[in-house]
Amino acid sequence: MKKREISLLLSAALALVLCSCAPAGEGPSPSLPLTTPPPEASVPVLETLEPTLYPTPSPAPSSSPDFSAALPDRDYQSWQVGYMEFLTALLQAEQDTREERVAFGGLAADQRGVCCLDAGGKLRMTQVMAMGSESYSLYDVDRDGVPELFVKYGVCEAAFTYQCYTFREGRMVCIGEFDGGHSGLYTHPDKSAVLRSSGHMGYAELYEYPMEDGVLTEEREIFREEDVRDYTPTEEIVPGAEYIEYFYTRRGAEDDSYWTGQTPYTLGKALLLPICDWGVGRPATGNDSERARAAILAALSGEGQVYGVSGDHFNGDVGPLSWEEYVQAITAVPRAQVTAKITAYFWMDMNGDGQEECMLRLESDVRRGEEAWSGEDMVMLSEQGGVVYAYCFDFYERDDFCTDGAIRGYGQVYRLSFWNDQCYRYIAEGAEAGPVKWLDGSPLS
């Protein structure tokens, strides 16, 4: 059985668990300079009153937390700094306390105009946040130039909840909350509103949440269908609606260090690059393909290290290792015999900055006792400032890659944005280019 099939089975099993914890810890970080925001743009810590039935609060998170990655050197708007600080502090609170709700007090002010759970009364904002974050999305609901931040909290599809935040008068505020189970978010082409499409077991609904007086109003059902096999697409119900992408808040939550013990298993770090890229696009990682090739080949030959990063949230956050150690870290399981090798590769500029990356197809045969299975990973090597980053992707096929850097998969066209230890994919315009021609073997041969 392939590794990806095992991963899918494990994910399905885990989805049945209503409560879960993950051990805390931080993986290694690269010795790269941090780009910190200007002090005047920092977000003040807001005091949130908590009832006495909760334990005494721990010290509030710092108003200027250290970002978990070196970010592109750009002039960030105050809302970008606020969102990055919020997500970083949120992840830190989740790792530090997990079940301690009081740690989330002070991250944002509560100005909600809607609540998702009316049975038994409105949940406090910190109670929802204590469920743990899953992902976030960005969408400018009221078209004022500042996108709202939608964070999905919860441990399974049946319990997901969205909270909507915005940056207002120099602070983070929560302006809405609604159910998130079995749902996706969509833009509304004609209103200052966000759409939520929900479908499960033949039953589907479409809701809209207009923004009025600075908050999201109560949900309004605009479509429903029952006992259907194929759901009506949201784009047909509301012409012009577009799917709003999401990005994981817990990068590396399922990284392979859980299996190998190569590095401490961790909830991961906040994925901040989508916020950095908002409105300006992908950062340039370099402009010298010759230098990049030399550094990548040196790392592959054992003359240097690679810095392992998860490319798709599922594995690869293993930090700086030799290539031989890195291969073991992303392919192995404890007490198993693993034979892994590069079977194909290509050189191509994957982010449009003029510098080539190297994409590798890595195959592994794993044996543990009488069990045997094969695995396949795609690893993209990118030289940035003298460091060779290895971005690991678990679910791409070799035929998914196009000669213009686009990636086809799951009926969509994607592109990659990556910078140091941050990487994500986003939906792009249709790719007209043909498939990449892979070269057999290793680039060292």
Side-chain angles (χ1 to χ4, degrees), residues 10-260:
L10 287 173
S11 298
L14 288 172
L16 298 176
V17 181
L18 293 180
C19 296
S20 64
C21 299
E26 287 290 344
S29 59
S31 55
L32 296 173
L34 294 179
T35 303
T36 56
E40 62 271 14
S42 296
V43 181
V45 174
L46 304 174
E47 183 179 356
T48 300
L49 298 178
E50 292 289 342
T52 55
L53 53 95
Y54 288 101
T56 302
S58 304
S62 167
S63 61
S64 299
D66 243 353
F67 293 151
S68 59
L71 301 176
D73 188 8
R74 292 171 168 171
D75 292 328
Y76 295 110
Q77 299 181 53
S78 57
W79 69 264
Q80 290 177 298
V81 176
Y83 286 0
M84 289 190 282
E85 288 186 347
F86 172 80
L87 288 176
T88 302
L90 176 65
L91 266 289
Q92 189 61 58
E94 289 177 357
Q95 293 188 32
D96 286 347
T97 63
R98 292 183 229 155
E99 299 298 326
E100 295 292 335
R101 300 172 185 168
V102 295
F104 300 93
L107 290 183
D110 196 345
Q111 297 181 5
R112 291 177 296 174
V114 68
C115 102
C116 68
L117 297 176
D118 51 10
K122 180 177 178 179
L123 281 179
R124 293 182 181 85
M125 183 172 64
T126 52
Q127 289 177 294
V128 175
M129 296 169 75
M131 298 176 185
S133 61
E134 163 77 12
S135 60
Y136 74 91
S137 302
L138 296 166
Y139 173 51
D140 188 358
V141 179
D142 56 358
R143 298 169 173 83
D144 66 349
V146 175
E148 275 60 54
L149 175 71
F150 293 85
V151 180
K152 181 186 282 189
Y153 295 97
V155 295
C156 68
E157 282 291 343
F160 281 140
T161 296
Y162 283 107
Q163 281 191 345
C164 176
Y165 304 88
T166 194
F167 192 75
R168 183 177 295 156
E169 297 179 353
R171 63 177 186 173
M172 291 287 298
V173 293
C174 180
I175 61 170
E177 178 180 310
F178 49 87
D179 290 333
H182 305 284
S183 299
L185 300 181
Y186 286 79
T187 67
H188 199 304
D190 305 317
K191 297 181 181 179
S192 293
V194 63
L195 299 172
R196 177 173 70 91
S197 178
S198 175
H200 183 56
M201 299 181 69
Y203 186 87
E205 300 165 311
L206 183 63
Y207 298 97
E208 68 175 18
Y209 302 86
M211 183 179 287
E212 297 176 1
D213 298 324
V215 297
L216 296 185
T217 65
E218 296 288 343
E219 66 184 19
R220 302 174 185 175
E221 183 182 297
I222 60 176
F223 180 81
R224 175 181 295 194
E225 59 186 352
E226 301 180 31
D227 298 325
V228 295
R229 180 172 182 177
D230 298 316
Y231 300 123
T232 303
T234 301
E235 299 87 340
E236 291 185 12
I237 304 169
V238 181
E242 296 181 355
Y243 179 69
I244 300 174
E245 299 172 75
Y246 64 89
F247 314 103
Y248 290 109
T249 61
R250 301 185 304 188
R251 293 184 64 252
E254 299 181 28
D255 71 48
D256 281 358
S257 61
Y258 177 86
W259 304 105
T260 66

